[in-house]
Amino acid sequence: LCSAVTARDFAVDNPYLFKTKTDVVTILSTHKAAHLIPHTCSCAHSMFKRKTQGHCGRCSQCIDRRFAITAAGLLAYDSEADYVSDVFVGPRKEGPEKNMAVDYARHGIELWRRSESELATLFNAELTRAVRYEPKRSEAAERLISMHKRHGETVFRVLQQKIVEHAAKLVEGTVDDTSMLALVIGKKHLEYQSQ
């Protein structure tokens, strides 16, 4: 369509196609541009937020952002005050908010646990659709699987890190029962997996 409209060859190049959010955030740091993080917004609900808090902390985009920034070691550039609710220990309402946290953890841990060949088998239909327009389909599929494995490793590592960080509060029982960490500690992500 773009070629037809412009009457010349038009190519779309996405250099981040095979990168996780952590990979992209790390690139910002590598290029000495981490200071730009506070000027970005990832929240799916940003239009309904106050200007002082750009992130809800409960949607999948906020969760993925906070995991990526944590994994990249760049939390100093992503103020907790910018989140209405803390991604890890903030309360979540029944329904979509709790399900989002549980499903994010469940899927990330599943990606971490499974081998690349198991992921290729499990997500064969999705991979086939995702690479159908790639010139080197097998290579693209391998890169997608590798990207998802990196994402799973990030989810597992950050969950471990945050559980250690909040261990005292978790043991004391002062972390909200509906928070992502409490749900993971309570094995809710494993219950959802078997349903």
Side-chain angles (χ1 to χ4, degrees):
L1 175 63
C2 291
S3 294
V5 170
T6 61
R8 58 187 159 128
D9 287 342
F10 187 92
V12 176
D13 180 34
N14 181 356
Y16 302 109
L17 181 63
F18 300 107
K19 299 200 180 309
T20 66
K21 193 156 194 120
T22 304
D23 295 337
V24 173
V25 171
T26 302
I27 290 169
L28 283 174
S29 180
T30 302
H31 292 288
K32 310 264 188 269
H35 65 281
L36 296 174
I37 291 172
H39 304 290
T40 65
C41 182
S42 304
C43 186
H45 306 111
S46 62
M47 65 166 46
F48 306 111
K49 300 285 161 270
R50 295 181 298 219
K51 296 290 180 200
T52 57
Q53 291 181 301
H55 295 91
C56 70
R58 296 180 181 110
C59 70
S60 63
Q61 290 86 339
C62 284
I63 294 170
D64 206 33
R65 173 192 178 96
R66 202 67 172 157
F67 268 77
I69 290 171
T70 301
L74 298 172
L75 281 175
Y77 298 97
D78 193 42
S79 172
E80 284 182 31
D82 193 35
Y83 292 79
V84 174
S85 181
D86 185 284
V87 167
F88 301 103
V89 295
R92 294 178 176 275
K93 294 178 186 169
E94 280 298 327
E97 287 184 14
K98 278 178 72 175
N99 293 343
M100 187 64 64
V102 168
D103 289 343
Y104 188 90
R106 177 201 49 78
H107 185 66
I109 291 169
E110 180 180 14
L111 293 172
W112 170 77
R113 279 187 179 151
R114 294 187 182 269
S115 69
E116 291 189 359
S117 60
E118 287 175 315
L119 291 176
T121 301
L122 186 64
F123 297 107
N124 184 45
E126 292 86 351
L127 284 167
T128 300
R129 282 195 302 274
V131 301
R132 69 178 152 208
Y133 298 112
E134 290 294 317
K136 298 178 180 176
R137 291 183 196 147
S138 293
E139 181 182 313
E142 287 173 8
R143 292 180 73 188
L144 282 172
I145 292 168
S146 175
M147 177 186 69
H148 281 86
K149 282 294 290 176
R150 289 193 313 279
H151 172 70
E153 290 162 6
T154 294
V155 170
F156 187 79
R157 185 168 31 93
V158 169
L159 282 172
Q160 281 186 318
Q161 176 185 335
K162 289 298 178 178
I163 288 169
V164 168
E165 184 179 309
H166 295 280
K169 291 178 183 177
L170 288 162
V171 172
E172 292 167 2
T174 57
V175 172
D176 193 288
D177 290 343
T178 63
S179 71
M180 177 182 262
L181 293 186
L183 293 168
V184 169
I185 293 290
K187 300 182 180 181
K188 296 298 181 192
H189 62 297
L190 299 177
E191 289 175 17
Y192 279 67
Q193 186 176 14
S194 62
Q195 290 181 356

